[in-house]
Each structure stands twice: as C-alpha cells, then as structure tokens.
Amino acid sequence: MDRMNQSMKKAQIESFFATLKAANPQPNTELEYTSVFELLTAVLLSAQATDVGVNKATRRLFVVANTPQAIVKLGLPALMSYIQRSEEHTSELQSRLHSYAVFCLKK
C-alpha cells in the first residue's frame, strides 16, 4: 500500500502527539494569531512564505477577515489582494484558504 494513502490509527495519533509534547511541552511560533482559525490560516500561508511575510499579510487580512464567515464574505479576489502583497503566493494556495474557510462554515 502506498504510504501516502495510509491513515494513522487513533492510538498512533495519540502516541505521536504525546511524543511531540514530551519533546517540546510549550511550543512557540513567530506567527501572529489570536484564535485557532487565525493560527491555521497563518500555517496554511506559511507553506509558501516566511513567517515574517505571513505576518505582514495577516496583520492586514485579520483586521477585516479573521473568521471563516468573514473570509468567505470577503471573496476570493479580495482575499488574493491581501495575500499577494506579502510574498509570492500561488492562486492554488489562495483557493485552498478560501475553501478551508468554506469547509469550516459547514462544520
């Protein structure tokens, strides 16, 4: 079976997170956030940029849209304008961020 298609079982997941917690009980990040949604959004963006670049974008973005509802209401074209100014982000990443916000609304 292809390793990319294998899912971790609950016990494996718990063991994995226990190992991470033991290695670093209070992890820090340079990403700026005030909610779980903001953190996950910043992490998505950080895949394509430095933390400094992400913080530049999210400082502007989170003032107008820091919830799934606000991201969806903002719309993809406006969302792209906030993200593109920080560093070179692909339209695929911007679409993923918008889709992530839509997904959060369905939960």
Side-chain angles (χ1 to χ4, degrees):
M1 180 184 288
D2 181 39
R3 290 184 58 83
M4 296 297 289
N5 292 329
Q6 292 180 347
S7 297
M8 292 177 74
K9 295 182 178 14
K10 184 177 181 182
Q12 292 171 309
I13 294 169
E14 290 171 356
S15 174
F16 174 75
F17 280 105
T19 301
L20 291 177
K21 186 173 184 176
N24 189 358
Q26 295 183 339
N28 294 323
T29 179
E30 292 183 22
L31 296 172
E32 298 169 0
Y33 65 95
T34 61
S35 69
V36 172
F37 179 77
E38 286 184 5
L39 174 60
L40 290 174
T41 300
V43 168
L44 281 173
L45 294 174
S46 71
Q48 299 292 322
T50 64
D51 289 353
V52 171
V54 170
N55 288 337
K56 286 179 184 177
T58 56
R59 281 182 199 132
R60 292 187 319 276
L61 174 62
F62 291 159
V63 169
V64 297
N66 69 340
T67 65
Q69 297 88 344
I71 293 280
V72 171
K73 185 176 179 181
L74 187 63
L76 193 53
L79 176 62
M80 290 171 69
S81 71
Y82 284 96
I83 296 171
Q84 286 177 336
R85 290 183 187 160
S86 65
E87 292 186 19
E88 294 180 18
H89 295 280
T90 63
S91 60
E92 179 182 341
L93 176 63
Q94 294 152 351
S95 294
R96 281 187 195 164
L97 181 56
H98 190 262
S99 296
Y100 165 68
V102 171
F103 174 78
C104 287
L105 287 176
K106 293 180 180 180
K107 289 291 176 183

